[in-house]
Amino acid sequence: MTQVGHRTARALLRRLAVEQAECRVPSLTAAIVRDGATAWFGGRGRVDGAAPTPATQYRLGSITKSMVAVVVMRLRDEGALALTDPLREHLPGAPLGHLTIAQLLSHTAGLTAEPPTDWWERTPGVPAAELLARLGPAELKHRPGRRFHYSNVGFALLGELVARLRGTTWLKAVRAEVLDPLGMHDTTARPRAPHATGYAVHPWADVVLAEPEHDADAMGPAGQLWSTPHDLARWAVFLAGDTGGVVCEDTLAEMREPAGVDDGDTWTAGFGLGLQLSRPGGRRLAGHTGSMPGFLATVWADPADGAGVLFMANTTSGLSGRLAIDLLDILEEYEPRLPDEWHPVAADPRLLELTGLWHWGPKPYALRLLPERGLSLEPVGGGGRASRFVPQDDGTWLGLDGYYAGETLRVAPDHLDLNTFIFTREPYDPTAPVPGGVSAWHA
């Protein structure tokens, strides 16, 4: 299975071994994916007396949420719902029905983190009808849209939304629409052999305590699933961009867009639509962490690099918090990715004439052609508003990102009209239709 070089594999295994030994983890597995395949797998510790393998199951915890979110986005793409819809539009009579689907997906609804039940991760769950009956105004902790506040309850509501709209259970919908198409056949709601037992490790002695495991029922969409390193590697490949037709690439990219931040002004951690986001060391990662009593798991993917990392452990707490990023750093140090070879591409002569220098008032901008007939407009030397544009059927151009995302660019022979801003070949060209008029330059 090892596709990385021997020195790389040894360095990765050593980092995993240090984590398992120093953090006292009963068993720990990890994997690296690259270019759509598993490039390295490692396992340390013991499960039923043997080393863990890519087929050993661990509990995913909240990684379950991102799979439920994919089904919600599929419903959106089919036109069955809009992300701006209030929940009550699809769950009539639901408590807190004014919250929108997008707010629930991005944990910006203001809902409480945990349900008004016993400790749901360690006790049998309650049916959806009973959970809904227990929810009320007291479970709304913040004004909707005000801030990021992680909510397991929100994904219980999204699971019920999926069940109602699909006419089945959330689990069957996730199985049919996500897991089976991606070949994740060893991802299940309850453990199957071989699987790791969840343990709590005593903080002051080298002894362990088995953690309980139950069907979370209505709270299942928040953290029910079990999986294997093999299956979770396929999920990492999905997050890196190989969607297998489950959703279109644009939808996955939308899920990766920041909707809220988890760490204030520093913005190194945030949340999209069902996906956690992280920006360590210049990377832009998307994925999810998972935690249930007795288990920790994490999966991250870097779409720009086509790489991903995951780990799965059977311990309630105690990992260093650096394992996944350190493994990516080792891969980058020992086997850095080579940039794709540059090669020339054919250009439409009419578009080629648009390239070069334009001016927003006195500020120079460069217009460049991108592959697939795209345009890039950015300040010369940086330090201003930059956006990419794609052509539309009516001859206009649509902004993809930056300040002009979603805005319209219109092209004329002597000027560009970008949502009322006029760009000219010369600074404030008096022959172009610059609003407000232009007088001669003078000393």
Side-chain angles (χ1 to χ4, degrees):
M1 176 176 292
T2 300
Q3 297 175 10
V4 299
H6 176 74
R7 290 183 65 247
T8 308
R10 180 68 179 177
L12 292 168
L13 182 59
R14 184 184 186 282
R15 178 63 187 87
L16 184 69
V18 169
E19 187 81 7
Q20 188 270 337
E22 294 186 354
C23 298
R24 302 185 304 132
V25 184
S27 71
L28 177 61
T29 63
I32 293 282
V33 302
R34 205 174 211 185
D35 297 328
T38 301
W40 171 81
F41 167 80
R44 299 288 290 181
R46 291 291 182 266
V47 174
D48 294 333
T53 75
T56 305
Q57 269 197 335
Y58 294 79
R59 197 160 187 182
L60 288 181
S62 290
I63 298 173
T64 303
K65 292 180 174 72
S66 54
M67 299 171 186
V68 173
V70 168
V71 180
V72 176
M73 296 303 290
R74 284 172 56 89
L75 286 163
R76 191 286 304 272
D77 289 350
E78 294 166 14
L81 56 83
L83 297 184
T84 54
D85 288 345
L87 188 63
R88 67 166 69 96
E89 193 167 315
H90 304 284
L91 292 181
L96 306 167
H98 63 292
L99 303 176
T100 70
I101 296 169
Q103 288 170 340
L104 295 172
L105 283 170
S106 60
H107 297 280
T108 57
L111 271 176
T112 182
E114 315 301 343
T117 63
D118 291 335
W119 188 345
W120 71 273
E121 298 167 317
R122 293 177 56 85
T123 58
V126 301
E130 182 176 343
L131 178 63
L132 291 174
R134 295 188 184 194
L135 298 179
E139 277 62 62
L140 195 64
K141 303 300 183 180
H142 307 281
R143 170 176 54 80
R146 178 187 175 195
R147 56 170 294 166
F148 173 87
H149 185 69
Y150 193 85
S151 176
N152 289 294
V153 176
F155 269 78
L157 293 174
L158 289 172
E160 183 63 12
L161 171 75
V162 166
R164 298 275 186 96
L165 293 182
R166 287 304 194 212
T168 184
T169 66
W170 72 269
L171 181 60
K172 289 181 178 179
V174 169
R175 166 69 59 196
E177 300 182 39
V178 180
L179 301 179
D180 284 348
L182 294 179
M184 297 172 62
H185 303 305
D186 288 320
T187 302
T188 59
R190 303 299 293 279
R192 61 97 180 109
H195 70 84
T197 298
Y199 289 115
V201 179
H202 196 286
W204 315 122
D206 292 334
V207 294
V208 297
L209 173 73
E211 293 272 23
E213 184 274 332
H214 301 285
D215 185 341
D217 207 329
M219 289 299 297
Q224 182 68 46
L225 293 179
W226 292 66
S227 192
T228 65
H230 175 273
D231 274 16
L232 196 57
R234 179 61 186 96
W235 186 245
V237 170
F238 170 89
L239 294 173
D242 181 359
T243 66
V246 170
V247 292
C248 68
E249 292 181 9
D250 287 346
T251 294
L252 180 57
E254 183 179 359
M255 296 178 71
R256 294 192 298 248
E257 293 174 0
V261 298
D262 191 18
D263 55 355
D265 293 339
T266 59
W267 177 196
T268 60
F271 221 92
L273 297 174
L275 293 178
Q276 283 179 292
L277 310 174
S278 182
R279 301 194 306 178
R283 296 187 180 95
R284 299 180 69 89
L285 303 179
H288 217 292
T289 59
S291 170
M292 291 293 283
F295 293 96
L296 294 171
T298 289
V299 57
W300 291 118
D302 183 353
D305 196 36
V309 64
L310 64 95
F311 69 77
M312 308 176 85
N314 60 332
T315 184
T316 298
S317 64
L319 294 187
S320 69
R322 282 291 311 175
L323 176 61
I325 305 307
D326 285 350
L327 293 176
L328 285 178
D329 287 346
I330 290 170
L331 180 68
E332 178 64 22
E333 178 184 355
Y334 282 76
E335 298 186 17
R337 174 180 291 281
L338 300 178
D340 294 336
E341 291 184 349
W342 178 88
H343 58 86
V345 295
D348 184 332
R350 294 169 298 177
L351 297 181
L352 198 57
E353 292 178 357
L354 294 177
T355 62
L357 204 58
W358 292 86
H359 295 83
W360 179 81
K363 187 175 182 65
Y365 276 70
L367 185 69
R368 294 181 172 87
L369 293 188
L370 300 175
E372 305 298 330
R373 290 178 54 83
L375 297 177
S376 170
L377 185 64
E378 56 188 45
V380 173
R385 297 168 179 173
S387 294
R388 295 173 300 152
F389 298 84
V390 290
Q392 304 298 292
D393 292 339
D394 62 359
T396 64
W397 298 77
L398 179 67
L400 290 182
D401 48 21
Y403 183 83
Y404 297 110
E407 304 290 0
T408 298
L409 169 66
R410 293 177 172 84
V411 176
D414 61 343
H415 69 278
L416 308 177
D417 184 337
L418 181 46
N419 193 31
T420 77
F421 292 138
I422 302 299
F423 289 72
T424 57
R425 285 293 193 183
E426 300 296 332
Y428 277 138
D429 185 347
T431 66
V434 179
V438 174
S439 59
W441 294 90
H442 61 86

